[in-house]
Amino acid sequence: MEKIIETKKCKNCGINFDITDKDIKFYNKISLVFAWKKFQIPSPTHCPKCRQQRRLTRRNERKLYSRKCDITKKTIISMYSQDKNYIVCDDKIWRTDQIDPMDYWLDFDFSKSFFEQFDQLMHKIPLPSLHQMQNENCILNQCWYTKNSYMSFNTDYSEECYYCTNVVYSKKCIDSFHVDNTEICAYSLDVKKSYKVFYSENIKNSNNIYFSNDLENCSDCFACTGLRNQKYCFFNKQLNKQQYEEEFKKYNLWSKKCLEKIKNKVKEFFVKQPKLAINIENSENCKWNYIYDSKNAINCFDCFDSEDIKYCDTVSELKSSMDFNIWWYNCEMCLDTVSSGDRNYNLLFCANIRGNSQNLLYCNIWANNKNCFGCVWLMNKEYCILNKQYTKEEYNNILPKIIKHMIKTGERWEFLPTAISPFAYNETDAHVIYPMNQKETLNKWYQYKEKDDDISIPIDLSILNSDDIKDNIKDIDNSILDKAILCEVTGRPFRIIKQELDFYRKYSLPVPTKHPDTRHIERISLRNPRKLFDRKCNKCWIEIKTTYSPDRPEKVYCETCYNKEVYW
């Protein structure tokens, strides 16, 4: 049990937040030591939410633009729009020897703040247009080792994925979120080791699943929830194979009109079924939601195979860290860092650390680096400050002086400020999790981008209103590929690509009438809000923590009571 040591007021939003004895112990453990002098990292000035929001303003995952490469002058796809005052080059060129980031070094100037100098370096050095590596025939961002995919993000080791986010080791997925080791998946989220999953959530080790939620080891189920080891079930009713197939034929999945009716019917059915309070599985002493195979993960979200972490989101195989967002694979001892993974150790206030790095402070860097401060896009370097090479002795001598300078300027142990982010707030992951309109964004002193320059819409495409799209996929010919469809919600134009249309035809799915960004927002909104409530289990009436607010109509069960229901 953690003991509250201090209650502070957030410097950004004004709410109170607690500092515990374990927090202090971690800050003490990760504090820097130079020449036998310890530079103690103090407790944070921002609350956990504002700290995460600030980190995520440095991660643009989904917004891609057409702009000129500042090296070749050719048109490229980039996460930086043309109006950004940065030097941007094709990421393929950036990975060659043509650009050496060490050529753009700065001497540290003690008459200026560090953040001012870091921003100067970011504007001086050519930046890679996208964050990706070893992809083949793709238009992606934040993706690795993926083939034949389009407008997918944070997707690794996958093939033929379209409009997906957080997908790994999967194939033939479209409009899906958090998918792992799955083949053929559409309009679904939180799917693992499954085959042919459509319009479903929380599916594991199952196949041929439609409009279902929380199924494990099931097959051929339609509109089912909370089932284990079942087959041929329709709205949780057991049928035989012939009965199931007859029922299935009654639903015209190829029709958008019928699809909406099915969704409404399923929603009415699901609200009457028991719900698990929170999704924590095979874990010990964990708090919040979507935590699996972990230990001591406190206030964490989308956490896998991790231990002794706090305030972390979308992480896997992470140990002994706090305030860490997005990425995977064997990181340890990290603080207030985003978009970093793959065997990193001791990262403080960093972003975009690809892997195999350690002892980095305030870096926006690539891979295989050690003992660097305030560096941008280096590889295989050690003892660098603002991209300038130092000896070990010089580095250990100057860095304590810089830290003392940062304490004087009020930059002490704060993450990079949003004012020097390369992205506007509504371009970033922060906006996805904590959406704000233009007025709210500007009132918080964040940047806001007014114009959406969609890369996928050539200027010569004719316009097609969503109401004019034929209801039956069988009646839609290839001419739709030459049109821009106006989103029925936002009016933003989007297009259908050939691979996508082939997928709809093969699996008898209607052509979408909403922009991919709108579909993504609606998909992740199917999850409950990122907030825990106190309420009672509707079965045994013990006090529980849950993401279902007390005023919601669902029956919410504690883990024990829920398991008795599903493992009958």
Side-chain angles (χ1 to χ4, degrees):
M1 189 71 178
E2 296 188 47
K3 180 181 178 182
I4 296 174
I5 300 297
E6 181 184 10
T7 298
K8 303 181 74 170
K9 178 174 284 190
C10 177
K11 184 179 177 181
N12 185 55
C13 71
I15 70 165
N16 291 333
F17 66 100
D18 295 327
I19 305 297
T20 71
D21 55 342
K22 290 188 177 180
D23 297 339
I24 298 298
K25 184 178 179 180
F26 177 79
Y27 297 137
N28 184 61
K29 183 179 180 181
I30 205 169
S31 294
L32 304 179
V33 177
F34 290 96
W36 307 104
K37 177 177 174 57
K38 188 170 189 175
F39 291 86
Q40 180 66 45
I41 294 180
S43 59
T45 61
H46 286 46
C47 70
K49 174 188 171 182
C50 288
R51 298 199 300 267
Q52 182 184 61
Q53 198 171 16
R54 180 172 58 182
R55 284 193 302 278
L56 291 176
T57 60
R58 293 200 77 86
R59 182 178 173 93
N60 172 11
E61 195 173 86
R62 302 184 57 83
K63 298 294 185 181
L64 303 184
Y65 306 95
S66 176
R67 66 166 290 159
K68 295 289 185 182
C69 170
D70 290 308
I71 305 297
T72 67
K73 308 305 178 184
K74 293 180 180 179
T75 300
I76 58 173
I77 294 172
S78 170
M79 71 178 87
Y80 305 96
S81 56
Q82 188 68 57
D83 57 353
K84 295 285 193 300
N85 188 25
Y86 292 89
I87 302 170
V88 179
C89 70
D90 189 327
D91 63 284
K92 299 180 184 65
I93 293 175
W94 185 87
R95 290 194 297 271
T96 68
D97 295 335
Q98 189 171 341
I99 296 172
D100 184 357
M102 296 292 284
D103 291 340
Y104 303 88
W105 58 269
L106 297 175
D107 275 317
F108 195 90
D109 186 345
F110 287 91
S111 69
K112 299 179 180 178
S113 72
F114 161 68
F115 290 149
E116 181 182 356
Q117 296 175 73
F118 184 84
D119 188 42
Q120 181 182 348
L121 181 60
M122 282 286 293
H123 281 82
K124 183 178 181 181
I125 189 172
L127 304 178
S129 57
L130 298 169
H131 292 177
Q132 60 171 342
M133 190 171 72
Q134 301 295 326
N135 297 319
E136 182 180 327
N137 189 32
C138 295
I139 296 179
L140 310 166
N141 194 27
Q142 305 286 0
C143 296
W144 318 96
Y145 306 101
T146 292
K147 297 180 180 180
N148 304 320
S149 297
Y150 179 76
M151 295 301 285
S152 290
F153 309 97
N154 206 33
T155 293
D156 300 344
Y157 304 99
S158 298
E159 296 182 41
E160 299 176 54
C161 292
Y162 312 102
Y163 312 108
C164 292
T165 302
N166 296 356
V167 174
V168 293
Y169 299 107
S170 297
K171 188 175 182 179
K172 297 182 180 177
C173 299
I174 193 164
D175 275 286
S176 293
F177 179 75
H178 269 298
V179 179
D180 182 5
N181 278 282
T182 292
E183 184 171 349
I184 307 175
C185 180
Y187 302 105
S188 297
L189 60 158
D190 300 306
V191 181
K192 186 173 184 179
K193 295 181 179 178
S194 296
Y195 179 75
K196 285 192 176 181
V197 178
F198 302 89
Y199 306 103
S200 297
E201 304 172 55
N202 300 311
I203 308 298
K204 187 176 180 180
N205 296 315
S206 299
N207 60 82
N208 297 322
I209 306 299
Y210 294 82
F211 303 99
S212 295
N213 186 17
D214 189 25
L215 304 189
E216 187 171 343
N217 298 318
C218 294
S219 65
D220 301 284
C221 291
F222 188 103
C224 293
T225 182
L227 297 185
R228 304 291 184 268
N229 308 306
Q230 299 300 308
K231 189 173 185 178
Y232 300 130
C233 293
F234 224 89
F235 286 90
N236 279 31
K237 181 180 179 181
Q238 183 65 64
L239 305 176
N240 60 37
K241 181 179 180 180
Q242 181 179 349
Q243 291 170 328
Y244 179 86
E245 291 174 349
E246 289 174 354
E247 284 295 314
F248 191 91
K249 290 177 182 177
K250 295 178 182 178
Y251 293 86
N252 299 322
L253 302 187
W254 45 260
S255 167
K256 184 177 181 297
K257 295 176 182 177
C258 291
L259 193 64
E260 294 306 314
K261 292 179 181 178
I262 295 170
K263 288 181 179 179
N264 290 333
K265 184 176 179 180
V266 170
K267 186 176 180 180
E268 292 174 4
F269 174 71
F270 278 8
V271 78
K272 301 173 185 177
Q273 309 306 311
K275 298 289 185 292
L276 179 62
I278 47 178
N279 293 287
I280 298 179
E281 183 178 308
N282 195 31
S283 298
E284 178 184 342
N285 187 35
C286 294
K287 180 181 177 182
W288 209 359
N289 210 4
Y290 298 103
I291 302 175
Y292 306 94
D293 305 307
S294 297
K295 182 179 180 181
N296 303 326
I298 307 302
N299 297 332
C300 294
F301 203 89
D302 284 326
C303 170
F304 306 85
D305 303 296
S306 297
E307 185 173 354
D308 298 327
I309 63 174
K310 192 171 185 179
Y311 306 125
C312 297
D313 184 356
T314 315
V315 297
S316 179
E317 301 174 38
L318 177 66
K319 292 183 179 180
S320 303
S321 298
M322 287 183 65
D323 291 301
F324 188 101
N325 284 83
I326 308 173
W327 223 342
W328 331 88
Y329 319 130
N330 297 304
C331 290
E332 187 172 353
M333 290 293 289
C334 298
L335 173 65
D336 219 351
T337 290
V338 62
S339 296
S340 302
D342 200 1
R343 299 181 299 280
N344 288 323
Y345 181 85
N346 198 32
L347 309 182
L348 282 69
F349 314 105
C350 292
N352 303 309
I353 313 300
R354 173 65 182 90
N356 297 306
S357 296
Q358 62 186 42
N359 304 329
L360 304 183
L361 187 62
Y362 288 105
C363 288
N364 190 99
I365 207 164
W366 192 233
N368 306 318
N369 298 282
K370 297 179 182 178
N371 303 303
C372 292
F373 174 88
C375 292
V376 176
W377 297 116
L378 297 186
M379 286 189 70
N380 305 310
K381 301 298 179 182
E382 188 171 9
Y383 302 120
C384 295
I385 298 174
L386 294 176
N387 284 31
K388 182 177 180 179
Q389 184 68 63
Y390 292 85
T391 66
K392 179 180 179 180
E393 291 74 18
E394 290 170 334
Y395 182 86
N396 289 334
N397 180 53
I398 192 173
L399 190 54
K401 297 176 183 178
I402 293 174
I403 293 172
K404 290 179 182 178
H405 174 72
M406 291 178 68
I407 293 173
K408 290 180 181 178
T409 58
E411 302 167 292
R412 62 177 192 114
W413 312 123
E414 297 280 3
F415 189 78
L416 301 164
T418 58
I420 63 171
S421 169
F423 310 110
Y425 184 84
N426 56 323
E427 292 179 296
T428 68
D429 284 24
H431 183 66
V432 175
I433 298 176
Y434 306 110
M436 295 190 294
N437 61 35
Q438 183 175 1
K439 183 178 180 180
E440 292 169 329
T441 302
L442 296 177
N443 284 343
K444 291 268 189 181
W445 298 101
Y446 293 131
Q447 305 171 61
Y448 189 89
K449 183 172 174 59
E450 294 189 39
K451 186 178 179 182
D452 260 318
D453 306 316
D454 201 313
I455 65 165
S456 66
I457 309 300
I459 59 175
D460 57 343
L461 289 185
S462 59
I463 298 298
L464 180 65
N465 290 318
S466 58
D467 291 340
D468 296 329
I469 296 177
K470 295 176 181 177
D471 192 48
N472 191 337
I473 182 64
K474 296 178 181 178
D475 297 329
I476 295 177
D477 59 33
N478 284 0
S479 65
I480 197 171
L481 302 175
D482 301 320
K483 294 180 172 61
I485 302 170
L486 296 183
C487 173
E488 65 178 55
V489 176
T490 64
R492 284 182 64 191
F494 68 98
R495 66 182 301 188
I496 305 296
I497 64 170
K498 179 63 166 57
Q499 299 92 324
E500 178 186 1
L501 184 59
D502 291 343
F503 188 97
Y504 300 143
R505 286 169 172 165
K506 184 171 183 178
Y507 300 106
S508 298
L509 305 177
V511 168
T513 55
K514 297 177 182 177
H515 190 279
D517 285 352
T518 301
R519 303 196 306 258
H520 176 70
I521 292 169
E522 290 182 351
R523 186 160 50 253
I524 61 176
S525 70
L526 294 173
R527 286 176 156 191
N528 285 352
R530 295 188 174 204
K531 187 175 181 180
L532 286 176
F533 301 92
D534 293 312
R535 64 181 285 176
K536 293 181 182 293
C537 169
N538 288 105
K539 187 78 170 179
C540 69
W541 303 106
I542 66 167
E543 293 286 343
I544 58 174
K545 292 282 188 182
T546 178
T547 54
Y548 293 90
S549 63
D551 58 347
R552 286 181 56 162
E554 293 93 344
K555 294 185 294 183
V556 181
Y557 287 6
C558 67
E559 184 179 9
T560 300
C561 292
Y562 186 79
N563 286 340
K564 288 179 181 178
E565 287 282 324
V566 299
Y567 290 103
W568 45 271

